[in-house]
Amino acid sequence: MSSLIIDELLKNNIRSISKTITRIEEDDFSLELSSEIYKHTAHSIRIGITGPPGAGKSTLTNQLINQCLLNNKSVGVVAVDPTSPFTGGALLGDRVRMNEHSSNDKVYIRSMGNHGKLGGLSKKAQEVGDVLAASGKDIIIFETVGVGQAEHDIVSAADLSIVVLVPESGDEVQLMKAGIIEIGDIFVINKSDRAGANKLASKLKNTLHFFAKENMNEPEVYNTCATEGKGIIELYLGIQNCINIMNENKLLEHRKSNRYKKRIIEVINESLLKSFWTDKRLNLLKELTNISNQDIISPEKIAKKIT
């Protein structure tokens, strides 16, 4: 069965891609299958798109898909949506916005819930990215939830990160210096038909001048109006130029290596955590955290008893 799944994935079979991703989401994914898929993932470029809610990330992603297709590139999108704290379900709105590509076999879009993960990316997002890469997609786009400065998972998941802002973000730039500003390789001021876009661009460029990354040119700032398709070609060319620079100075290779190491650490940490929380320890935790203990026994002491 596993070899059949791999064969179908490599042929870009949509049904096989969907079934495999569902197995990942349901934790029904064997080590052997994961290993076989991973062998076919090296060629893809992974792009992260992040920024505050309402910045138009989904519309911008949709426009970038169009540009990729015009340049004969296939695209996979992992769109991470907020998970409801009440039902556990996700809004999954991104797929609706991009449904014009649903019949194109060069595009595959998957919406996932973040399950409360504040880093902006679903826990399984990178594994889904592997599946899309194995299916032959040239570009993998991770579009994050949009929770502001907490979206640092994107750095671990992507080769190149794009931060999307809107003109109204101008007063927030100073507050973002130590957060989301530091993770961007490219910055986009979307909805640039609104007042304040040029002022924000100037302010942002001045801020970025002090945060230029080692071995990289200072991040470029692009003005777009994604709903009208304005500035998209320039942005696409800027992305290609940034990738070329990263290739030349070996930064792309360095990031891929770091991502590889971090994923190994995450797998080990998850495995250790699962093995630690046995039924016995969970029962002990429940017993020791009763109301009578909460005001007199420190969390550190209870942790010591459990371990």
Side-chain angles (χ1 to χ4, degrees):
M1 179 64 75
S2 292
S3 62
L4 179 60
I5 290 174
I6 298 298
D7 290 342
E8 292 301 310
L9 274 177
L10 298 179
K11 293 175 184 176
N12 193 35
N13 181 288
I14 302 301
R15 186 178 177 85
S16 179
I17 294 171
S18 298
K19 282 187 173 182
T20 304
I21 292 174
T22 298
R23 288 180 64 175
I24 289 173
E25 292 181 310
E26 294 176 351
D27 286 322
D28 180 27
F29 202 53
S30 70
L31 177 61
E32 292 75 17
L33 184 57
S34 175
S35 298
E36 285 301 315
I37 287 173
Y38 191 79
K39 294 177 184 178
H40 304 280
T41 63
H43 67 283
S44 295
I45 294 293
R46 304 189 181 208
I47 297 173
I49 297 182
T50 189
K57 297 186 294 295
S58 295
T59 307
L60 190 71
T61 298
N62 195 48
Q63 291 286 3
L64 287 175
I65 292 172
N66 291 331
Q67 283 301 310
C68 289
L69 294 174
L70 287 172
N71 286 273
N72 201 31
K73 301 287 186 183
S74 55
V75 192
V77 178
V78 182
V80 184
D81 289 293
T83 300
S84 167
F86 303 104
T87 66
L91 296 178
L92 307 182
D94 295 297
R95 185 187 293 177
V96 175
R97 299 185 190 103
M98 303 174 202
N99 62 8
E100 65 181 271
H101 302 291
S102 59
S103 61
N104 193 326
D105 63 3
K106 289 186 125 183
V107 180
Y108 187 92
I109 298 164
R110 183 74 170 213
S111 290
M112 303 176 67
N114 71 328
H115 302 291
K117 190 169 171 58
L118 293 180
L121 283 175
S122 167
K123 180 181 178 182
K124 303 293 184 182
Q126 291 202 60
E127 291 175 315
V128 173
D130 290 343
V131 172
L132 297 180
S135 74
K137 302 301 182 291
D138 301 306
I139 306 291
I140 310 295
I141 297 176
F142 295 99
E143 184 200 320
T144 67
V145 173
V147 290
Q149 293 188 41
E151 301 212 287
H152 295 114
D153 275 6
I154 198 70
V155 176
S156 298
D159 300 316
L160 178 149
S161 299
I162 300 173
V163 176
V164 185
L165 303 171
V166 289
E168 293 79 4
S169 304
D171 293 336
E172 301 173 10
V173 171
Q174 296 299 320
L175 296 175
M176 296 167 67
K177 276 185 179 180
I180 203 170
I181 282 291
E182 295 184 354
I183 73 174
D185 300 295
I186 290 175
F187 288 80
V188 176
I189 302 170
N190 193 32
K191 305 183 181 180
S192 284
D193 53 332
R194 296 181 182 178
N198 291 333
K199 182 180 178 181
L200 174 59
S202 177
K203 187 174 183 180
L204 187 55
K205 287 175 183 177
N206 289 334
T207 302
L208 291 171
H209 180 72
F210 297 100
F211 287 89
K213 297 177 182 178
E214 188 178 353
N215 299 324
M216 276 290 287
N217 288 352
E218 190 172 308
E220 295 288 343
V221 178
Y222 294 90
N223 287 73
T224 65
C225 185
T227 54
E228 299 177 17
K230 293 180 179 179
I232 303 300
I233 294 176
E234 292 80 0
L235 173 59
Y236 181 82
L237 293 174
I239 292 171
Q240 296 303 312
N241 183 56
C242 187
I243 290 170
N244 290 337
I245 292 172
M246 292 171 71
N247 263 321
E248 290 170 4
N249 62 23
K250 306 294 184 183
L251 182 57
L252 190 59
E253 180 182 320
H254 177 69
R255 287 192 181 177
K256 286 180 182 291
S257 177
N258 278 346
R259 182 169 72 238
Y260 186 58
K261 292 173 186 174
K262 286 179 181 178
R263 286 185 67 178
I264 292 170
I265 292 171
E266 286 176 3
V267 170
I268 292 171
N269 287 344
E270 182 180 357
S271 176
L272 290 173
L273 195 59
K274 281 184 178 179
S275 63
F276 176 82
W277 285 112
T278 61
D279 289 342
K280 181 179 179 181
R281 284 195 171 106
L282 286 170
N283 289 332
L284 184 57
L285 175 67
K286 184 177 180 180
E287 177 186 332
L288 293 173
T289 54
N290 60 58
I291 296 296
S292 61
N293 285 340
Q294 287 182 11
D295 292 331
I296 57 175
I297 304 177
S298 71
E300 290 78 11
K301 189 169 184 179
I302 288 181
K304 184 69 174 176
K305 286 178 178 290
I306 294 173
T307 56

